Amino acid sequence: PPPGVEWIDTVDYLDETGEVLSSAPGARPAVPGADPTILSGSSAHPLPRPAAAARLAALALRNRSGPSLSAALSALPSQPDPALLLLAANSLPASDPTPLLSLVGWARHQPWFVPSDDLSSIVAARLSPATHSSDLMSLFDDALLHPEPASFPKTLNAVVSALSTHGLLEPAFYCFKRLRDAGFHGLQTSTCNALLSLLLARGLAFKAFEVLDEMSVAGCELDKGTYELAVPALARAGRIDASRKLFDEMRQRDGVGPASPGVYSTMVDVLSKSGRLDAAMGMYREMVAVGHRVSTAVSTTMVEGLVKAGKLDAGMELWEEMRRGGLRPSFGLYTMVVEANARSGRLDVAAKLFGDMEKSGFFPTPATYACLVEMHASAGNVNVAMRMYHSMANAGTRPGLSTFTALLTMLANKKLLDLAAKVLLEMKASGFPIEVTASDLLMIYIKDGSTELALRWLRFMGSAGIRTNNFIIRQLFESCMKMGLYDSARPLLETYVGAAAKVDMILYTSILAHLVRCQDEDSERAIMNILSVSRHKAHDFMCGLFTGPEQRKKPVLSFVREFFQGIDYENEESAARYFVNVLLNYLVLMGQMNRARCIWKVAYENKLFPKAIVFDQHIAWSLDIRNLSVGAALVSTVHTLHRFRKRMLYYGVVPRRIKLVTGPTLKMVVAQVLASLESPFEVSKVVLRAPGDSVLEWFKKPIVQQFLLNEIPSKSDVLMHKLNVMFPSSAPEARSLALPRSLGMSR
């Protein structure tokens, strides 16, 4: 027997009668390759180990699994060992893992079995995860639960790689996490690449980065496959700096070689879309220098990035380079370049590219047509814009709302009213609402001062059944009043009032201002009719103001006070102030000084001009008329000087000085009126001032008393002569006709 192998028991050999023939040591398991168990002629030889392994494999293939296999293996004259089992496992066919699983399953229950990484890795490599995932997980658990899991690197790698390669994401990543938590650092680069590829294919970039970080911690060397996976993934996930760092590392590694066109393309795309155009351009140039053929997609990305960043010149240079290289631009790139050139005002270049686009077989989008039409319309190129518009219609492309709006705005600015009407009706036929657009065009004519065209357009809108809003009707009415088209203005105001719009005091006062500057009787009559159409309460007040006390049934002052009490000063204070200024102009021109002084008195009582009169005890009294019209300034001066005279003569209060703050505009008007009465007021830049004593002596003169008491005998008197000089009806640009600055601001 071989060394170390002892005989066991004693065997007695008996004859037929039961007598002992002989005795000899008992049987023992034969050791393959050691005990002579095979006769070759008359000599015995030991069984070779490969033959013993082949016998194991043959039994596994013949019986496959179950009790028959176990019985056959247990009846072997010699027990296998782990090395023999490994030889048998290697000899089994890889296409059918069942015999291998049965053989290993039987061996696991034998006392001589010792787990090994080689055997487990063979089993893992032979198993298909699609049908034997539980067996793979069992192998993984056995290896990881071994006292020394680091002694099973091939098995663990084989399981993770097999699961990853066959797309079993959850078990593969579960195994990875268990290895990471167990502190196992034996994962191979190919295994990590398989897991990375699976995670990225499923869109789980953040999980893939965990694998990448673990590779760095474990010191796993990155190969070209890892770089090809990680660099684009980092870039697409927004970790651009990390991807560029890894890309630079790949370039510096020996044996890795240049990056693939896909990596370059991804880097160019991400860098350009993130606004890092210089870096993207450098990557693009490097890609060309390495020898890769630049794809249409990469060139398109670069051109789009440059154009969107406003670098149209650089983008067009790259466009030309792309065309010289034989690359055919895509439909989207053509569209972008055409629209970018059009919006930049390079309409000739855009037209040429548009022609090339059509020759290349691309059908322009409605957006491209719209962009060209709108840009030509904005540039005022009527012929080209209309030609593009008709081309768009002939191609069956429906213009959008912005296209119609741009085209109609151009036609309105060019005053092509008939053509604009035709396009507007086509817009209506296309299903777009046209009321707002038609009103906008009407507003263009009004703002441009083309009142006649505005009226024509309004008549067209009426004939087409298009309504406009009251605001625009009011604007057109004011434009007609300004141009003296009173016959056209009256129907507009009637329409305005008939549409339940309220004529406010601002509008009524503006009509009254036109009456103030009116020059002929026919126009006066027309404006008076317009005032009556307004139906404003101020018109009833005006009519009552010019009637006698018998018809009015109350004094002027009471009548004026009643009207001013009905004003909503919280909302109409500035409008009421404007009305008082214009009304006083009108009353002064009509010679109605008594009525004018009543208006001023009540307006001051209602605090419309709260800071106009200031009494500073015995030091200074002042009147501030800087923000008044000429008529209001003269009336307030007469009325306030009358108040000053009453205080000084009746109450004996004489200030040191009296000031009339006129400002530069009203200074000469007031000064000339007072100079005709030999007043002591001296004229400075913006103020008329005089000592109180001198004014007191001046107040005592009869002509001054007559002037201040409003006892004017006739128009031949000095005052009325001066008023006629100050208010010539043929001078519409006079201060009396202008809206005071403070009121104009509030209006």
Side-chain angles (χ1 to χ4, degrees):
V5 179
E6 299 293 337
W7 298 103
I8 56 172
D9 299 330
T10 299
V11 179
D12 294 329
Y13 296 95
L14 306 178
D15 60 7
E16 295 175 351
T17 61
E19 294 182 0
V20 178
L21 294 177
S22 63
S23 296
R28 62 171 175 76
V31 179
D35 290 325
T37 57
I38 297 178
L39 289 175
S40 178
S42 59
S43 60
H45 299 282
L47 181 66
R49 292 185 67 80
R55 184 172 59 185
L56 281 177
L59 288 174
L61 287 171
R62 186 182 306 122
N63 298 284
R64 295 184 63 80
S65 63
S68 58
L69 176 62
S70 299
L73 292 173
S74 299
L76 287 172
S78 58
Q79 288 185 348
D81 55 45
L84 194 65
L85 182 63
L86 182 61
L87 284 174
N90 275 320
S91 65
L92 286 171
S95 59
D96 186 7
T98 303
L100 176 61
L101 283 175
S102 300
L103 181 60
V104 174
W106 171 79
R108 284 179 181 276
H109 297 90
Q110 306 306 313
W112 51 265
F113 179 78
V114 178
S116 71
D117 188 29
D118 292 334
L119 180 62
S120 298
S121 63
I122 291 174
V123 176
R126 301 283 178 86
L127 295 178
S128 172
T131 55
H132 296 84
S133 59
S134 58
D135 295 321
L136 278 172
M137 294 303 295
S138 177
L139 274 176
F140 180 84
D141 291 337
D142 291 343
L144 194 60
L145 294 175
H146 193 272
E148 295 183 4
S151 61
F152 288 82
K154 291 191 290 185
T155 303
L156 296 174
N157 277 280
V159 172
V160 175
S161 180
L163 293 172
S164 301
T165 304
H166 286 78
L168 300 179
L169 175 61
E170 293 184 4
F173 195 72
Y174 169 73
C175 292
F176 165 76
K177 288 198 298 183
R178 288 188 61 190
L179 290 174
R180 182 184 60 186
D181 296 341
F184 179 78
H185 297 312
L187 282 177
Q188 299 172 353
T189 304
S190 58
T191 304
C192 293
N193 287 351
L195 186 56
L196 279 173
S197 179
L198 176 61
L199 290 168
L200 294 174
R202 300 291 178 85
L204 300 173
F206 61 100
K207 296 292 185 184
F209 299 152
E210 290 185 27
V211 178
L212 198 62
D213 293 339
E214 179 62 22
M215 291 178 71
S216 176
V217 171
C220 183
E221 185 177 355
L222 278 61
D223 61 4
K224 186 170 184 178
T226 313
Y227 287 118
E228 297 282 343
L229 290 169
V231 172
L234 287 168
R236 292 192 190 97
R239 298 173 60 177
I240 299 176
D241 293 331
S243 68
R244 293 185 66 185
K245 180 180 179 182
L246 205 61
F247 184 82
D248 294 337
E249 180 184 320
M250 178 178 66
R251 286 189 297 189
Q252 295 169 4
R253 285 281 299 275
D254 294 332
V256 174
S260 65
V263 175
Y264 275 111
S265 300
T266 302
M267 293 299 293
V268 171
D269 180 69
V270 172
L271 288 171
S272 63
K273 289 180 179 177
S274 64
R276 305 187 185 190
L277 293 176
D278 293 337
M281 200 65 185
M283 196 70 68
Y284 177 86
R285 297 300 181 194
E286 181 181 331
M287 181 179 182
V288 175
V290 167
H292 293 312
R293 177 175 172 79
V294 179
S295 64
T296 303
V298 175
S299 298
T300 300
T301 300
M302 275 308 306
V303 175
E304 286 181 357
L306 291 169
V307 170
K308 287 181 180 178
K311 298 182 178 181
L312 186 57
D313 293 333
M316 291 308 297
E317 288 180 11
L318 198 59
W319 164 275
E320 294 298 334
E321 182 181 321
M322 175 181 175
R323 298 301 302 274
R324 288 194 298 269
L327 295 176
R328 184 172 182 261
S330 64
F331 170 72
L333 184 59
Y334 255 126
T335 301
M336 172 174 286
V337 172
V338 170
E339 294 181 8
N341 279 280
R343 290 194 177 96
S344 299
R346 303 178 181 182
L347 297 178
D348 295 337
V349 178
K352 180 180 179 300
L353 291 170
F354 184 79
D356 294 342
M357 181 179 181
E358 290 183 317
K359 291 176 184 177
S360 298
F362 293 125
F363 188 76
T365 64
T368 306
Y369 270 121
C371 178
L372 289 172
V373 173
E374 291 170 19
M375 291 303 106
H376 280 291
S378 299
N381 300 331
V382 178
N383 294 332
V384 181
M386 290 304 298
R387 186 167 64 248
M388 292 296 301
Y389 168 73
H390 291 307
S391 174
M392 186 178 187
N394 294 334
T397 301
R398 179 171 174 259
L401 181 61
S402 61
T403 305
F404 275 119
T405 302
L407 200 60
L408 288 168
T409 302
M410 175 196 68
L411 295 173
N413 289 326
K414 294 292 183 179
K415 298 181 174 56
L416 299 173
L417 189 143
D418 295 335
L419 191 56
K422 178 177 178 294
V423 174
L424 186 71
L425 294 177
E426 291 175 358
M427 178 180 176
K428 181 179 180 181
S430 297
F432 291 107
I434 59 174
E435 286 77 8
V436 175
T437 305
S439 298
D440 290 343
L441 298 191
L442 180 57
M443 202 65 196
I444 290 175
Y445 291 128
I446 294 172
K447 289 182 178 180
D448 194 45
S450 305
T451 309
E452 295 286 353
L453 287 177
L455 291 170
R456 281 182 58 195
W457 185 257
L458 185 64
R459 286 194 291 272
F460 158 72
M461 290 175 63
S463 64
I466 306 170
R467 299 184 61 184
T468 187
N469 57 59
N470 290 328
F471 172 79
I472 296 181
I473 291 292
R474 175 169 175 165
Q475 295 294 316
L476 183 55
F477 167 76
E478 293 178 356
S479 179
C480 288
M481 292 295 295
K482 183 178 179 181
M483 300 298 295
L485 303 175
Y486 304 124
D487 292 338
S488 300
R490 178 172 176 171
L492 289 173
L493 189 61
E494 290 175 346
T495 303
Y496 184 75
V497 174
K502 182 181 178 183
V503 176
D504 56 16
M505 188 169 285
I506 291 286
L507 182 57
Y508 182 85
T509 306
S510 68
I511 303 172
L512 182 61
H514 286 286
L515 181 63
V516 171
R517 70 170 65 97
C518 187
Q519 302 179 26
D520 58 89
E521 188 174 345
D522 292 338
S523 297
E524 280 187 5
R525 190 176 297 109
I527 296 175
M528 290 298 293
N529 289 334
I530 293 172
L531 285 171
S532 64
V533 168
S534 69
R535 301 179 188 175
H536 194 273
K537 61 182 180 180
H539 188 67
D540 297 333
F541 168 70
M542 289 281 292
C543 294
L545 188 65
F546 283 96
T547 59
E550 299 82 9
Q551 296 169 308
R552 219 175 22 240
K553 297 180 181 180
K554 59 182 69 174
V556 175
L557 189 59
S558 300
F559 181 70
V560 172
R561 280 180 174 150
E562 182 179 341
F563 170 73
F564 276 87
Q565 285 172 359
I567 296 176
D568 180 8
Y569 290 100
E570 184 175 351
N571 298 316
E572 294 184 327
E573 181 178 351
S574 60
R577 197 178 295 122
Y578 175 38
F579 175 70
V580 168
N581 274 282
V582 176
L583 179 58
L584 289 179
N585 269 351
Y586 181 65
L587 292 175
V588 170
L589 286 174
M590 296 295 291
Q592 302 292 324
M593 288 298 295
N594 185 39
R595 290 177 171 85
R597 290 180 66 167
C598 288
I599 297 292
W600 169 259
K601 178 180 178 64
V602 176
Y604 185 77
E605 287 175 355
N606 286 276
K607 298 181 180 180
L608 285 178
F609 307 96
K611 297 181 181 179
I613 303 173
V614 177
F615 292 100
D616 191 3
Q617 298 299 328
H618 298 282
I619 300 174
W621 296 350
S622 65
L623 170 65
D624 189 346
I625 57 174
R626 285 174 295 181
N627 294 324
L628 302 181
S629 64
V630 174
L634 293 176
V635 173
S636 63
T637 300
V638 172
H639 185 78
T640 306
L641 288 177
H642 176 68
R643 290 186 62 187
F644 288 173
R645 178 179 180 275
K646 191 174 181 179
R647 281 200 172 205
M648 294 171 73
L649 294 179
Y650 295 165
Y651 302 110
V653 180
V654 181
R656 295 180 187 175
R657 59 185 178 275
I658 293 178
K659 296 190 300 181
L660 302 178
V661 184
T662 61
T665 308
L666 295 170
K667 176 178 62 177
M668 296 310 300
V669 177
V670 177
Q672 288 179 16
V673 173
L674 296 181
S676 64
L677 302 172
E678 300 177 355
S679 75
F681 286 94
E682 298 178 354
V683 181
S684 63
K685 287 185 178 181
V686 293
V687 177
L688 275 66
R689 58 166 57 88
D693 296 337
S694 301
V695 176
L696 177 62
E697 296 300 322
W698 181 62
F699 280 156
K700 294 177 182 179
K701 293 182 179 182
I703 189 173
V704 177
Q705 180 180 0
Q706 183 184 12
F707 171 74
L708 297 180
L709 292 177
N710 198 26
E711 297 174 359
I712 304 172
S714 66
K715 285 191 177 182
S716 61
D717 186 55
V718 176
L719 175 60
M720 291 312 301
H721 172 71
K722 289 297 181 182
L723 289 178
N724 287 332
V725 172
M726 293 299 106
F727 293 94
S729 61
S730 61
E733 69 278 1
R735 165 70 175 164
S736 60
L737 309 181
L739 180 66
R741 181 174 180 273
S742 61
L743 302 180
M745 293 289 287
S746 64
R747 183 180 180 187

